[in-house]
Amino acid sequence: MKTPDACLTKQDIRTEIDRLDGELVRLFAERQRYVRRMAELKRRPDEAFDGTRIESMIAAIRDQAGDLALDPDQAELVWRTLIDWNIAFEKRVIADRLLKEAAGKGTPAD
């Protein structure tokens, strides 16, 4: 691992970016497992969207980004994209589960 200042070539930088991208993918995968579990706990697709929680998260992300010299607008864009995808994912998981539950209960044949 090299610090940005220790990178002397474009390849040095590419190597470090690739390393960081691998870490980010692992973290996103871990986060996704929590999102999947959240979808298992929610009972209705409309529970996937919580505007108050989202805006609280975005404010915290923007603050953290600013503290770390990351452009808060960039961080917000990334997180809003991630959150939007996760909401859609949760809705699909919940709706699929509800369909399966309804199919499992079945209806009497006419």
Side-chain angles (χ1 to χ4, degrees):
M1 182 174 112
K2 292 183 179 182
T3 65
D5 291 340
C7 292
L8 303 177
T9 67
K10 289 185 283 187
Q11 187 55 50
D12 288 345
I13 294 169
R14 289 180 181 129
T15 297
E16 292 307 313
I17 288 173
D18 290 348
R19 178 186 60 76
L20 288 168
D21 286 349
E23 289 181 36
L24 287 170
V25 169
R26 282 187 290 282
L27 288 171
F28 281 132
E30 180 180 354
R31 189 181 194 283
Q32 181 62 34
R33 289 189 293 275
Y34 287 101
V35 170
R36 179 176 294 281
R37 180 62 181 139
M38 181 67 82
E40 292 170 355
L41 296 174
K42 292 179 179 177
R43 297 305 312 153
R44 297 179 324 276
D46 66 312
E47 289 181 77
F49 180 84
D50 181 344
T52 302
R53 167 74 174 145
I54 291 167
E55 294 312 313
S56 173
M57 287 175 60
I58 294 299
I61 291 296
R62 288 186 66 86
D63 287 346
Q64 186 179 11
D67 291 345
L68 296 170
L70 172 64
D71 181 346
D73 291 338
Q74 179 187 20
E76 179 175 347
L77 176 62
V78 170
W79 257 263
R80 284 199 186 274
T81 300
L82 179 64
I83 290 166
D84 288 347
W85 189 92
N86 285 332
I87 290 168
F89 174 81
E90 282 188 24
K91 285 180 178 181
R92 282 191 315 271
V93 168
I94 296 164
D96 288 348
R97 184 185 67 238
L98 292 174
L99 283 173
K100 288 177 184 172
E101 288 173 1
K105 291 178 183 176
T107 58
D110 291 327

